[in-house]
């Protein structure tokens, strides 16, 4: 019999339509896992109400009264998906051995939890849920979402392709993660920074069971921008390279202006004006780029992230999951 306790963390924002449907599915999966002996009796489903304006919190309180496996916490106001997941994970960190975060709309395959728990028992501390197909998404959503991951990579933010926030994290990883104090949260980029053994579990993404998405294109673009700027200083470095490129173009411009002057094709004063303009615009961008390099370093310093994380010590007891 396994006594390792699991906490399923579910962020909910104005989800009164879908919660009554998916809460049953979460409970079914949890009782299945308990019955198979894969997780302990003390496992729970933790709903995080993210300052909903509808009856989401009433539904959560009612669920908690009906079945001891349901528990809930409520944020004082809406803080967004990432903060809601963080609140749930930090709440669960000391009380449970392992957590799985999942959206409450049933889009992520709840049955994939079993494979995640198996991977955990095999020694993985982080298991990423990865969407194998996006057939139920519209072409537009698929195109923009996949472009999102590619852009992130290009800009130096390492993320697992097609992985959203459906993932298993062990309590010891959460313990280390709690040392990351940054306010701009982008969990899918930060968890890989913590390290430890990880793997992926593939599943098909479904359609929302009820209600509507809270992530229209505008929010998604903002989210991508947030992810890039909070994980990477590459955009600042790009200014420097762009500056060098402009300086090179300016150099050609100067040669051209001087040549035009000597060929007598230039109006008086034009060549010297162009030379000065090209020279200074190149110099200025390079200088801004150098400033950018320093600002990037200051930015990373202000995050005060841990500089190293120890995953094992020979003199400590063998850390076994099962
Ligand atoms: N969510 C949240 N706070 C917010 C917006 C969303 O907790 O401010 C939750 C929401 O209830 C859902 C999850 O985050 O469980 C993902 O949101 P949604 O399904 O609307 O996004 P999509 O899957 O369309 O990208
Ligand atoms: Mg969704």
């Amino acid at each position: 019999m396994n006594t390792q306790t699991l906490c399923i963390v579910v962020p909910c924002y104005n989800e009164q339509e879908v919660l009554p449907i998916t809460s049953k599915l979460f409970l079914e999966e949890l009782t299945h896992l308990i019955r198979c002996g894969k997780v302990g009796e003390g496992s729970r489903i933790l709903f995080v109400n993210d300052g909903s304006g509808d009856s989401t919190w009433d539904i959560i309180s009612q669920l908690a009264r009906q079945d001891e496996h349901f528990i809930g916490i409520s944020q004082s106001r809406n803080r967004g998906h990432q903060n809601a997941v963080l609140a749930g994970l930090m709440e669960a960190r000391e009380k449970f051995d392992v957590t799985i975060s999942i959206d409450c709309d049933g889009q992520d395959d709840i049955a994939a939890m079993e494979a995640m728990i198996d991977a955990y028992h095999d020694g993985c501390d982080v298991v990423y849920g990865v969407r194998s197909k996006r057939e139920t998404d519209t072409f537009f959503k698929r195109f923009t979402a996949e472009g999102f991951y590619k852009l992130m990579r290009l800009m130096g933010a390492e993320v697992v392709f097609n992985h959203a926030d459906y993932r298993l994290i062990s309590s010891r990883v959460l313990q280390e993660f709690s040392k990351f104090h940054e306010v701009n949260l982008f969990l899918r980029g930060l968890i890989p920074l913590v390290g430890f053994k990880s793997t992926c579990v593939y599943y098909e993404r479904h359609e929302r069971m009820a209600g509507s998405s809270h992530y229209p294109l505008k929010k998604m673009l903002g989210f991508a921008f947030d992810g890039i700027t909070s994980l990477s200083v590459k955009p600042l470095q790009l200014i420097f390279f762009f500056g060098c490129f402009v300086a090179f173009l300016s150099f050609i411009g100067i040669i051209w202006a001087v040549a035009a002057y000597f060929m007598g094709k230039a109006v008086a004063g034009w060549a010297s004006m162009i030379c000065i303009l090209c020279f200074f615009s190149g110099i200025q961008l390079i200088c801004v780029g150098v400033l950018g390099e320093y600002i990037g370093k200051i930015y990373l310093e202000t995050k005060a992230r841990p500089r190293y994380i120890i995953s094992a010590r020979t003199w400590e007891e063998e850390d076994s999951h099962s």
Side-chain angles (χ1 to χ4, degrees), residues 125 172 176 194-197 308-313 316 319:
D125 277 284
R172 70 169 176 165
E176 298 299 338
V194 185
F196 291 88
K197 192 173 171 200
Y308 59 87
I309 291 170
I310 309 291
S311 65
R313 291 185 173 88
E316 277 180 2
D319 202 274

PDB file of all heavy atoms in Angstrom, residues 125 172 176 194-197 308-313 316 319:
ATOM      1  N   ASP A 125      11.124  13.677 -10.658  1.00  0.00           N
ATOM      2  CA  ASP A 125      10.597  14.679  -9.741  1.00  0.00           C
ATOM      3  C   ASP A 125       9.682  15.672 -10.434  1.00  0.00           C
ATOM      4  O   ASP A 125       8.910  16.373  -9.792  1.00  0.00           O
ATOM      5  CB  ASP A 125      11.753  15.428  -9.076  1.00  0.00           C
ATOM      6  CG  ASP A 125      12.283  14.666  -7.894  1.00  0.00           C
ATOM      7  OD1 ASP A 125      11.616  14.675  -6.850  1.00  0.00           O
ATOM      8  OD2 ASP A 125      13.340  14.021  -8.032  1.00  0.00           O
ATOM      9  N   ARG A 172       9.886  18.074  -2.998  1.00  0.00           N
ATOM     10  CA  ARG A 172      11.248  18.607  -2.825  1.00  0.00           C
ATOM     11  C   ARG A 172      11.609  19.616  -3.915  1.00  0.00           C
ATOM     12  O   ARG A 172      12.353  20.556  -3.668  1.00  0.00           O
ATOM     13  CB  ARG A 172      12.284  17.502  -2.696  1.00  0.00           C
ATOM     14  CG  ARG A 172      12.554  16.705  -3.937  1.00  0.00           C
ATOM     15  CD  ARG A 172      13.780  15.852  -3.676  1.00  0.00           C
ATOM     16  NE  ARG A 172      14.051  14.988  -4.791  1.00  0.00           N
ATOM     17  CZ  ARG A 172      15.192  14.358  -4.946  1.00  0.00           C
ATOM     18  NH1 ARG A 172      16.137  14.506  -4.058  1.00  0.00           N
ATOM     19  NH2 ARG A 172      15.384  13.572  -5.983  1.00  0.00           N
ATOM     20  N   GLU A 176      12.512  23.704  -3.306  1.00  0.00           N
ATOM     21  CA  GLU A 176      13.577  24.486  -3.952  1.00  0.00           C
ATOM     22  C   GLU A 176      12.984  25.643  -4.755  1.00  0.00           C
ATOM     23  O   GLU A 176      13.527  26.738  -4.786  1.00  0.00           O
ATOM     24  CB  GLU A 176      14.422  23.600  -4.884  1.00  0.00           C
ATOM     25  CG  GLU A 176      15.157  22.473  -4.183  1.00  0.00           C
ATOM     26  CD  GLU A 176      16.152  22.969  -3.142  1.00  0.00           C
ATOM     27  OE1 GLU A 176      16.577  24.123  -3.228  1.00  0.00           O
ATOM     28  OE2 GLU A 176      16.475  22.188  -2.222  1.00  0.00           O
ATOM     29  N   VAL A 194      14.744  24.789 -12.150  1.00  0.00           N
ATOM     30  CA  VAL A 194      15.000  24.154 -10.856  1.00  0.00           C
ATOM     31  C   VAL A 194      15.796  22.867 -11.067  1.00  0.00           C
ATOM     32  O   VAL A 194      16.606  22.477 -10.222  1.00  0.00           O
ATOM     33  CB  VAL A 194      13.682  23.860 -10.100  1.00  0.00           C
ATOM     34  CG1 VAL A 194      13.952  23.318  -8.711  1.00  0.00           C
ATOM     35  CG2 VAL A 194      12.832  25.115 -10.010  1.00  0.00           C
ATOM     36  N   GLY A 195      15.581  22.206 -12.202  1.00  0.00           N
ATOM     37  CA  GLY A 195      16.343  20.989 -12.496  1.00  0.00           C
ATOM     38  C   GLY A 195      15.681  19.728 -11.977  1.00  0.00           C
ATOM     39  O   GLY A 195      14.451  19.642 -11.977  1.00  0.00           O
ATOM     40  N   PHE A 196      16.436  18.759 -11.516  1.00  0.00           N
ATOM     41  CA  PHE A 196      16.007  17.427 -11.072  1.00  0.00           C
ATOM     42  C   PHE A 196      15.556  16.583 -12.279  1.00  0.00           C
ATOM     43  O   PHE A 196      15.335  17.107 -13.377  1.00  0.00           O
ATOM     44  CB  PHE A 196      14.882  17.493 -10.029  1.00  0.00           C
ATOM     45  CG  PHE A 196      15.334  18.054  -8.701  1.00  0.00           C
ATOM     46  CD1 PHE A 196      15.314  19.414  -8.468  1.00  0.00           C
ATOM     47  CD2 PHE A 196      15.806  17.215  -7.704  1.00  0.00           C
ATOM     48  CE1 PHE A 196      15.748  19.946  -7.254  1.00  0.00           C
ATOM     49  CE2 PHE A 196      16.237  17.730  -6.488  1.00  0.00           C
ATOM     50  CZ  PHE A 196      16.212  19.097  -6.265  1.00  0.00           C
ATOM     51  N   LYS A 197      15.401  15.287 -12.012  1.00  0.00           N
ATOM     52  CA  LYS A 197      15.076  14.377 -13.104  1.00  0.00           C
ATOM     53  C   LYS A 197      13.638  14.636 -13.590  1.00  0.00           C
ATOM     54  O   LYS A 197      12.719  14.744 -12.786  1.00  0.00           O
ATOM     55  CB  LYS A 197      15.220  12.935 -12.604  1.00  0.00           C
ATOM     56  CG  LYS A 197      15.185  11.934 -13.721  1.00  0.00           C
ATOM     57  CD  LYS A 197      15.497  10.545 -13.226  1.00  0.00           C
ATOM     58  CE  LYS A 197      15.230   9.578 -14.356  1.00  0.00           C
ATOM     59  NZ  LYS A 197      15.038   8.223 -13.905  1.00  0.00           N
ATOM     60  N   TYR A 308      22.637  27.742  -6.784  1.00  0.00           N
ATOM     61  CA  TYR A 308      22.816  26.305  -6.963  1.00  0.00           C
ATOM     62  C   TYR A 308      21.743  25.569  -6.172  1.00  0.00           C
ATOM     63  O   TYR A 308      21.182  26.113  -5.208  1.00  0.00           O
ATOM     64  CB  TYR A 308      24.213  25.857  -6.502  1.00  0.00           C
ATOM     65  CG  TYR A 308      24.482  26.167  -5.056  1.00  0.00           C
ATOM     66  CD1 TYR A 308      24.107  25.274  -4.051  1.00  0.00           C
ATOM     67  CD2 TYR A 308      25.058  27.383  -4.684  1.00  0.00           C
ATOM     68  CE1 TYR A 308      24.312  25.575  -2.729  1.00  0.00           C
ATOM     69  CE2 TYR A 308      25.261  27.690  -3.368  1.00  0.00           C
ATOM     70  CZ  TYR A 308      24.893  26.775  -2.392  1.00  0.00           C
ATOM     71  OH  TYR A 308      25.072  27.089  -1.076  1.00  0.00           O
ATOM     72  N   ILE A 309      21.435  24.371  -6.611  1.00  0.00           N
ATOM     73  CA  ILE A 309      20.434  23.553  -5.936  1.00  0.00           C
ATOM     74  C   ILE A 309      21.003  22.140  -5.827  1.00  0.00           C
ATOM     75  O   ILE A 309      21.420  21.564  -6.834  1.00  0.00           O
ATOM     76  CB  ILE A 309      19.106  23.552  -6.732  1.00  0.00           C
ATOM     77  CG1 ILE A 309      18.455  24.943  -6.673  1.00  0.00           C
ATOM     78  CG2 ILE A 309      18.155  22.497  -6.197  1.00  0.00           C
ATOM     79  CD1 ILE A 309      17.282  25.120  -7.603  1.00  0.00           C
ATOM     80  N   ILE A 310      21.040  21.598  -4.630  1.00  0.00           N
ATOM     81  CA  ILE A 310      21.585  20.249  -4.430  1.00  0.00           C
ATOM     82  C   ILE A 310      20.450  19.233  -4.556  1.00  0.00           C
ATOM     83  O   ILE A 310      19.411  19.395  -3.931  1.00  0.00           O
ATOM     84  CB  ILE A 310      22.214  20.126  -3.024  1.00  0.00           C
ATOM     85  CG1 ILE A 310      23.184  21.263  -2.750  1.00  0.00           C
ATOM     86  CG2 ILE A 310      22.852  18.755  -2.819  1.00  0.00           C
ATOM     87  CD1 ILE A 310      24.449  21.248  -3.540  1.00  0.00           C
ATOM     88  N   SER A 311      20.648  18.210  -5.367  1.00  0.00           N
ATOM     89  CA  SER A 311      19.570  17.220  -5.496  1.00  0.00           C
ATOM     90  C   SER A 311      19.836  15.955  -4.690  1.00  0.00           C
ATOM     91  O   SER A 311      18.912  15.209  -4.392  1.00  0.00           O
ATOM     92  CB  SER A 311      19.349  16.870  -6.967  1.00  0.00           C
ATOM     93  OG  SER A 311      20.481  16.227  -7.477  1.00  0.00           O
ATOM     94  N   ALA A 312      21.068  15.663  -4.326  1.00  0.00           N
ATOM     95  CA  ALA A 312      21.334  14.454  -3.532  1.00  0.00           C
ATOM     96  C   ALA A 312      22.606  14.623  -2.718  1.00  0.00           C
ATOM     97  O   ALA A 312      23.509  15.377  -3.109  1.00  0.00           O
ATOM     98  CB  ALA A 312      21.470  13.259  -4.461  1.00  0.00           C
ATOM     99  N   ARG A 313      22.648  13.938  -1.560  1.00  0.00           N
ATOM    100  CA  ARG A 313      23.864  13.935  -0.744  1.00  0.00           C
ATOM    101  C   ARG A 313      24.126  12.501  -0.316  1.00  0.00           C
ATOM    102  O   ARG A 313      23.186  11.804   0.081  1.00  0.00           O
ATOM    103  CB  ARG A 313      23.677  14.814   0.492  1.00  0.00           C
ATOM    104  CG  ARG A 313      23.581  16.277   0.177  1.00  0.00           C
ATOM    105  CD  ARG A 313      23.516  17.140   1.420  1.00  0.00           C
ATOM    106  NE  ARG A 313      23.579  18.558   1.071  1.00  0.00           N
ATOM    107  CZ  ARG A 313      22.520  19.300   0.777  1.00  0.00           C
ATOM    108  NH1 ARG A 313      21.320  18.781   0.784  1.00  0.00           N
ATOM    109  NH2 ARG A 313      22.671  20.571   0.468  1.00  0.00           N
ATOM    110  N   GLU A 316      22.957  11.405   3.105  1.00  0.00           N
ATOM    111  CA  GLU A 316      21.536  11.412   3.445  1.00  0.00           C
ATOM    112  C   GLU A 316      20.912  10.106   2.996  1.00  0.00           C
ATOM    113  O   GLU A 316      21.374   9.491   2.052  1.00  0.00           O
ATOM    114  CB  GLU A 316      20.850  12.597   2.780  1.00  0.00           C
ATOM    115  CG  GLU A 316      21.024  13.845   3.605  1.00  0.00           C
ATOM    116  CD  GLU A 316      20.354  15.048   2.960  1.00  0.00           C
ATOM    117  OE1 GLU A 316      19.740  14.887   1.902  1.00  0.00           O
ATOM    118  OE2 GLU A 316      20.475  16.139   3.536  1.00  0.00           O
ATOM    119  N   ASP A 319      16.809   8.692  -1.127  1.00  0.00           N
ATOM    120  CA  ASP A 319      15.466   9.266  -1.250  1.00  0.00           C
ATOM    121  C   ASP A 319      14.629   8.467  -2.216  1.00  0.00           C
ATOM    122  O   ASP A 319      14.776   8.576  -3.426  1.00  0.00           O
ATOM    123  CB  ASP A 319      15.580  10.717  -1.704  1.00  0.00           C
ATOM    124  CG  ASP A 319      14.352  11.489  -1.348  1.00  0.00           C
ATOM    125  OD1 ASP A 319      13.406  11.449  -2.141  1.00  0.00           O
ATOM    126  OD2 ASP A 319      14.333  12.102  -0.259  1.00  0.00           O
TER     127      ASP A 319
END
